[in-house]
Amino acid sequence: MAALSPNLVAAAFPLMKLMPARYILDRAAADSALHTGTRIVETTSGTFGMALALLAASRGYRLTLVTAASLIDAKYRSRLEGLGATMIITADPDGNGDQLRRLQRLDDIRREEPDCFWPRQYDNPGNALAYARLAELLVRTVGKIDYLVGCVGSGGSLCGTGTFLRAVFPHLVIIAVDTHRSILFGQPTGKRLLRGLGNSVLPRNLRHDLIDEVHWVGAYPAFGEARRLLREHGIFQGPTSGAAALVGRWAARRQPGARVAVIMADEGYRYADTVFDDAWLASLPGWSWQRHSEPGLLTAIAPASEAGWTRFAWSRRSLHEVASAQPIHRARPD
């Protein structure tokens, strides 16, 4: 745990996805669905795949990971393959992660090898259940929590932790952090520069009815906040953590009498040659980082630019309820 301000605490992880990966594999082994030598297959953008690779290497499982060309860099791929993972890289011409294409490839593998094991990180309830440990750690370390802030990709970490914490603190406000052109909260899918959160499919582990407010953070504010965390706090986390910290800092400042906890899931080493490299940032079109103090308040869901940060009152409604109550913008993002 790290204190970012008097009323803001961060749960910062080098590899948070080890919790759900270990939980899911342990349950599968206990149910005799997983044995030494079994092939595990999964679609991943990186961190869940790394968690599976570490566990597969130590437990004697074979592992095949399906990812998109826009989601994996050469160094990270080399680390995964060094752990024994077989990598299948699908084309991604639109730069949105093309989850559907990846799932189709995964289905092909499962037909070819029916005895393989698919952890199903997006839909497996074990993903969310694994975060009972994080909820317990927060309660033991922090005590009463009024706000929980976290990014959403599979929905497991925020919804799992939030479910357990709200059982203890019914007043808990849950703020979801997404990025523009992710479909999780009603935006149209599109190319996303900020990775590690968002999705192009709707996972079952995302419980919209738990969410009080949604923030969409663009890549540039997330990059800038990740660098600020390193410079001002000595915390070396990736841009997904930067996006969560930005929103957490806003919530803590807005409610100084409340105690805010933010989940920061990804380490910074993967981004040493990008987010933490001045030359790479300077090569981005229109790159600038101005410290944002307030997000734009939306009355209708709409995407924004990579420099944008917006919020919307979700009010614990289903996606269908929100879509039915107000028009969802479908125009091309700026």
Side-chain angles (χ1 to χ4, degrees):
M1 298 291 174
L4 303 182
S5 74
N7 67 325
L8 175 61
V9 63
F13 293 86
L15 187 59
M16 184 183 71
K17 292 296 183 71
L18 270 172
M19 280 196 293
R22 183 180 289 115
Y23 186 95
I24 290 170
L25 297 192
D26 285 351
R27 299 290 80 71
D31 293 339
S32 299
L34 194 55
H35 310 275
T36 301
T38 299
R39 182 180 298 279
I40 300 170
V41 295
E42 184 59 285
T43 171
T44 175
S45 62
T47 55
F48 190 72
M50 180 60 71
L52 289 176
L54 290 168
L55 293 170
S58 65
R59 297 181 179 188
Y61 305 131
R62 295 175 294 148
L63 177 64
T64 298
L65 299 174
V66 183
T67 190
S70 67
L71 300 177
I72 193 80
D73 59 80
K75 289 184 178 180
Y76 209 69
R77 178 177 181 174
S78 179
R79 288 174 63 187
L80 290 166
E81 290 178 334
L83 286 165
T86 298
M87 301 299 299
I88 296 177
I89 315 298
T90 65
D92 186 19
D94 296 327
N96 63 7
D98 204 347
Q99 184 68 272
L100 292 176
R101 189 191 301 262
R102 289 152 57 192
L103 288 170
Q104 289 169 357
R105 185 67 186 91
L106 190 147
D107 284 342
D108 292 340
I109 297 170
R110 294 177 63 225
R111 281 195 294 270
E112 295 166 2
E113 192 169 343
D115 292 334
C116 66
F117 176 72
W118 180 20
R120 299 178 66 95
Q121 63 163 318
Y122 297 112
D123 302 329
N124 190 330
N127 183 347
L129 290 173
Y131 289 97
R133 294 179 60 196
L134 176 54
E136 180 183 10
L137 178 62
L138 284 167
V139 173
R140 290 182 180 275
T141 305
V142 180
K144 179 186 176 185
I145 298 172
D146 303 296
Y147 283 74
L148 178 68
V149 179
C151 293
V152 181
S154 70
S157 61
L158 182 64
C159 295
T161 309
T163 295
F164 290 110
L165 286 180
R166 194 169 274 165
V168 181
F169 309 119
H171 68 284
L172 180 75
V173 175
I174 299 177
I175 300 178
V177 182
D178 197 3
T179 193
H180 308 296
R181 290 168 292 282
S182 157
I183 73 166
L184 293 176
F185 293 94
Q187 286 199 17
T189 188
K191 186 174 183 179
R192 303 192 300 276
L193 179 59
L194 179 58
R195 312 306 309 202
L197 74 169
N199 216 317
S200 54
V201 298
L202 281 174
R204 292 178 186 170
N205 276 317
L206 173 53
R207 286 191 51 195
H208 293 88
D209 62 313
L210 290 175
I211 307 302
D212 293 284
E213 186 162 295
V214 178
H215 286 238
W216 291 274
V217 178
Y220 293 174
F223 294 169
E225 188 68 12
R227 291 169 67 97
R228 191 188 75 84
L229 284 170
L230 178 60
R231 184 172 59 252
E232 297 184 7
H233 297 278
I235 298 174
F236 192 33
Q237 294 291 108
T240 298
S241 295
L246 179 69
V247 177
R249 192 159 53 89
W250 169 85
R253 188 173 60 249
R254 185 179 176 90
Q255 299 289 340
R259 185 165 293 174
V260 181
V262 58
I263 303 171
M264 302 202 309
D266 59 336
E267 65 180 6
Y269 296 99
R270 185 179 179 184
Y271 306 94
D273 296 332
T274 53
V275 173
F276 295 96
D277 182 82
D278 291 341
W280 183 84
L281 287 177
S283 72
L284 298 175
W287 159 252
S288 66
W289 179 49
Q290 299 177 348
R291 287 197 178 183
H292 292 69
S293 59
E294 288 287 333
L297 178 61
L298 296 180
T299 57
I301 296 173
S305 71
E306 292 294 357
W309 172 22
T310 56
R311 67 184 178 96
F312 179 80
W314 197 265
S315 304
R316 304 188 189 184
R317 292 173 289 174
S318 70
L319 182 60
H320 175 74
E321 287 173 320
V322 172
S324 300
Q326 55 89 54
I328 292 181
H329 182 75
R330 296 295 181 184
R332 292 177 62 84
D334 56 19

